[in-house]
Amino acid sequence: MAASSTALALASATTSAATTTVATTTTAAAAAAAVAATAAASTHPTSSASSSSSSSSSSSSSSSSPPSLPHPFSRLRITNSLTRTLTADPATPSGWDPLRAPSPSARDPQDHTTRRRHVAAHYSFTLPEPPPAPAALVAVSAPAAALLGLKVDEIERSEDAVGVLAGKGPIEGSAPWSLAYAGFQFGQFAGQLGDGRAISLAEFTNTDGTRWDLQLKGAGETPYSRFADGYAVLRSSVREFLCSEAMHHLGVPTTRALSLVALPSRKVYREYGAEPGAVVARMAPSWIRFGCFEHCFYRRDVAGLRMLADYTIDNFFTAGGSAKEKAKAPLTEEGRYLKFYREVVRRTAVMIAEWQAIGFCHGVMNTDNMSILGLTLDYGPFEIMNDYDPDNICNHSDELGRYSFKAQPLVGQWNLSKLAMALSPLLVAECGDDTERASEAATRVLEGYMPAFRAHFAARMRRKLGLLVDGYPDGDGDGDGDADERTERDVTEIVHPFLSALASARGDLTATLRALSSATDADLADPVAAGLPHARGGLGEWYAAYAARVAVAGSGGCRVPEAARLASMRACNPKYVLRNHLAQRAIEAAERGEYEAVRGLLRVLQRPFEEGSAEETAEWGGLPPAELKDLKCSCSS
């Protein structure tokens, strides 16, 4: 008991110390301290929550149940591995059938007892709230639909399919659920949170074994809604739908968005007053977050923590073999859970490096918004910057700038230290209860985060600047083939000076890199005459160094031809990105019931590297007007 108290005291002290700042020098130490502080907890776990098979009193069945909705979703293979494996909320009746019994989270505005404040489980069953008519299908992403084996036209033609996507009822053969999780929000531990307005309808498994958890966001209250309504406004839903797909097509690891349904008759009250509602259907292999592990840890449920970690590893981090074979074999000899943590660290570093390379600000990097799979998750007050500004804060609720653009890599590391704390009982146990060994191992893994981030960021920026081209050897240009040395020199002499000069010039990262993707050797020799961006200002001196470097791109006497360099750059520097003013234009049209703007913007965002038509360029390819350049958003959605 004393050890458990020590762990909780450490957690409280840690959150207090990290309210507004993220320190690079303390994150690895925090992981080590967390492991050490919870050593004894691993040997005295509290009993796990009642399993999903535990008996519980059944809810009243007097209410009529929502209809099951067939086709086209009903033909997909439902596997629901999470609810078959992990622990259900004990308040959920054993063997609850959502097609015959009312939801355990029946919505009574005067009765908040159905909202679960202390869930001793991984998830709770719940049901979406049937939407008011009309439910307008704004848009469907064809590439996302294809992941499920569906086509846009069959969704558009099916009233039942649109009903599923609007939250009219469950899919036949599946019991919807919402996840329980906790989290650190703006540096402070917030306790139990959970899916307050997200409901997973089903997990589908394709013939190739790929899994997709289809989730509705904004479809009403869940057991984790606390005192909120579980709804989403059309404004934020348009942004999430478009950005989820835009990020994927930019090559950034992300969750996906299948559809957007507008509910103009559902009035949702937020800081701007009453707004029309909407539901986004979004997809991910899994919606498990760092906060899911924190939920188990801070409840001192080591058995539940182990169950969650094993499920995640077996289903998403181990390649090949049956589930039973995966469960038996550790990922490496260094330890199953340490290897798992190492891979999460790597994936997180890659994801955030991709953000930094395109000027993406997330805005709310709380631990409950961090995907365990390394996917960009929960699009709220995000922004792809116009003027490149390392100090940019995209969330106007972030008064202290904790989640500023330049802070994102360090926040990622800090969040990973909190994950190490949550995993510490498992890490210590697999080290034979050797606390010191576990602490050292976790520290080494976390210390690898920043090198992994820098390596991926360097490779990404070198490609964007045409210094690293597929099919051509990479080296220092003098034939010795030392790629590591060349990378270091490129970062020091080209990449960092470029970003620094761009920030001084208040230049646009997207537009500048796209312009460089058409800059010939002759253009670089005289950037002023060629009209290259900021040639007379902040980038003037940089162009000379860049031209000299481009002239020796490649190694071993194999120089990268101009045509190959430009083609490679155009393939990774987008023309179309989801700028705030473009999203706002689509939102305002959608609020008038005009949805073509959302669809048109989606079309160009799904092919961001193409030139597009003259009409698309005029509509979606330009820079924002001065009055909309600094448009910001809040967490309100």
Side-chain angles (χ1 to χ4, degrees):
M1 189 66 181
S4 297
S5 300
T6 301
L8 295 176
L10 174 67
S12 176
T14 305
T15 56
S16 175
T19 304
T20 59
T21 58
V22 182
T24 56
T25 57
T26 62
T27 51
V35 173
T38 58
S42 66
T43 61
H44 300 286
T46 60
S47 60
S48 66
S50 301
S51 71
S52 58
S53 61
S54 298
S55 61
S56 178
S57 60
S58 177
S59 298
S60 168
S61 58
S62 59
S63 301
S64 59
S65 60
S68 61
L69 301 175
H71 189 76
F73 293 99
S74 60
R75 76 166 189 264
L76 304 181
R77 186 161 71 98
I78 296 173
T79 48
N80 290 5
S81 62
L82 185 145
T83 58
R84 288 189 295 102
T85 306
L86 300 184
T87 303
D89 183 349
T92 299
S94 176
W96 174 63
D97 184 346
L99 306 182
R100 295 191 175 91
S103 171
S105 59
R107 297 172 187 81
D108 179 351
Q110 304 304 319
D111 180 11
H112 295 289
T113 61
T114 56
R115 293 169 181 178
R116 308 281 286 130
R117 289 182 177 83
H118 303 289
V119 176
H122 298 109
Y123 67 93
S124 297
F125 288 114
T126 190
L127 285 174
E129 179 180 331
L137 184 60
V138 176
V140 178
S141 167
L147 296 172
L148 297 176
L150 301 178
K151 296 180 180 178
V152 172
D153 60 346
E154 66 178 324
I155 294 175
E156 293 175 335
R157 292 197 311 265
S158 171
E159 182 179 346
D160 288 342
V162 176
V164 167
L165 299 175
K168 188 176 179 181
I171 297 170
E172 184 174 0
S174 180
W177 68 92
S178 293
L179 283 175
Y181 49 82
F184 286 84
Q185 298 191 328
F186 290 89
Q188 296 284 356
F189 185 66
Q192 180 180 295
L193 299 166
D195 284 331
R197 56 180 170 166
I199 300 172
S200 289
L201 292 180
E203 176 199 73
F204 301 110
T205 299
N206 294 340
T207 54
D208 64 358
T210 304
R211 297 178 183 181
W212 291 104
D213 183 328
L214 179 64
Q215 186 177 82
L216 300 185
K217 184 174 182 178
E221 294 177 18
T222 78
Y224 307 102
S225 294
R226 291 174 287 175
F227 292 95
D229 54 25
Y231 299 146
V233 297
L234 180 59
R235 163 177 50 89
S236 66
S237 301
V238 168
R239 285 170 54 84
E240 174 148 11
F241 173 73
L242 290 173
C243 201
S244 299
E245 290 303 281
M247 292 285 273
H248 168 73
H249 290 282
L250 288 172
V252 181
T254 180
T255 58
R256 303 295 299 275
L258 175 63
S259 65
L260 171 64
V261 175
L263 303 173
S265 297
R266 175 178 282 169
K267 298 305 177 185
V268 183
Y269 292 87
R270 296 294 184 261
E271 61 187 287
Y272 303 112
E275 300 183 56
V279 175
V280 175
R282 55 187 196 171
M283 301 159 46
S286 173
W287 294 96
I288 292 175
R289 307 146 183 264
F290 288 16
C292 296
F293 296 87
E294 291 172 316
H295 175 66
C296 294
F297 172 77
Y298 285 100
R299 286 184 52 255
R300 291 174 288 174
D301 179 10
V302 178
L305 177 66
R306 186 181 302 277
M307 183 187 298
L308 176 63
D310 286 343
Y311 167 78
T312 306
I313 293 169
D314 294 342
N315 289 276
F316 306 105
F317 285 81
T318 309
S322 67
K324 183 178 292 187
E325 290 169 341
K326 293 175 183 177
K328 290 180 179 178
L331 296 177
T332 67
E333 60 273 7
E334 71 176 357
R336 177 179 178 81
Y337 303 114
L338 184 64
K339 174 60 177 178
F340 166 55
Y341 180 55
R342 184 187 300 279
E343 179 61 12
V344 175
V345 167
R346 186 196 67 81
R347 293 188 191 189
T348 303
V350 168
M351 176 187 72
I352 297 178
E354 292 285 352
W355 293 359
Q356 302 304 109
I358 63 171
F360 174 80
C361 303
H362 185 279
V364 197
M365 290 181 65
N366 301 327
T367 59
D368 56 290
N369 291 335
M370 298 290 291
S371 164
I372 201 68
L373 303 185
L375 305 175
T376 311
L377 178 70
D378 287 351
Y379 291 91
F382 68 85
E383 177 185 17
I384 293 183
M385 289 188 292
N386 296 311
D387 292 345
Y388 184 79
D389 177 11
D391 294 317
N392 184 65
I393 303 169
C394 67
N395 180 358
H396 73 54
S397 303
D398 185 9
E399 297 178 355
L400 298 177
R402 177 181 177 84
Y403 298 142
S404 69
F405 178 71
K406 71 180 181 184
Q408 290 182 148
L410 303 182
V411 172
Q413 189 177 38
W414 190 88
N415 288 348
L416 285 163
S417 76
K418 300 298 133 188
L419 179 62
M421 177 185 291
L423 293 174
S424 58
L426 307 183
L427 299 177
V428 170
E430 76 176 355
C431 286
D433 295 329
D434 186 332
T435 303
E436 183 177 356
R437 179 183 163 204
S439 299
E440 292 173 352
T443 299
R444 285 195 301 271
V445 169
L446 188 57
E447 286 174 344
Y449 166 83
M450 200 55 74
F453 165 81
R454 293 193 185 105
H456 193 84
F457 179 74
R460 202 78 177 100
M461 290 305 300
R462 292 179 72 215
R463 287 186 180 280
K464 293 173 81 67
L465 289 166
L467 307 180
L468 184 61
V469 178
D470 289 339
Y472 293 87
D474 181 33
D476 66 2
D478 62 6
D480 68 5
D482 189 345
D484 291 340
E485 180 182 348
R486 179 68 271 173
T487 296
E488 186 64 31
R489 289 175 57 189
D490 279 349
V491 169
T492 303
E493 299 172 7
I494 303 296
V495 175
H496 284 169
F498 168 71
L499 296 175
S500 178
L502 193 66
S504 298
R506 304 293 291 181
D508 187 288
L509 178 65
T510 301
T512 300
L513 285 171
R514 185 68 180 184
L516 288 178
S517 301
S518 299
T520 65
D521 294 345
D523 293 335
L524 294 178
D526 192 348
V528 173
L532 295 181
H534 311 291
R536 295 183 182 276
L539 289 177
E541 294 183 2
W542 177 82
Y543 276 114
Y546 179 55
R549 174 65 182 94
V550 165
V552 295
S555 67
C558 184
R559 181 178 181 274
V560 177
E562 176 185 284
R565 170 176 64 85
L566 297 180
S568 176
M569 293 176 69
R570 282 193 293 272
C572 63
N573 289 315
K575 177 176 180 177
Y576 302 101
V577 295
L578 185 60
R579 299 178 185 273
N580 272 351
H581 77 288
L582 299 179
Q584 188 61 30
R585 186 188 306 164
I587 289 166
E588 291 173 359
E591 289 177 336
R592 297 191 300 268
E594 302 166 4
Y595 305 133
E596 183 51 42
V598 174
R599 297 164 187 159
L601 183 50
L602 176 64
R603 283 192 290 271
V604 298
L605 294 174
Q606 289 176 331
R607 42 182 176 81
F609 306 109
E610 297 180 14
E611 280 298 316
S613 67
E615 292 78 10
E616 288 172 329
T617 297
E619 186 76 7
W620 310 114
L623 298 178
E627 65 272 17
L628 296 178
K629 214 172 189 183
D630 297 320
L631 183 65
K632 302 292 182 186
C633 297
S634 74
C635 292
S636 171
S637 58

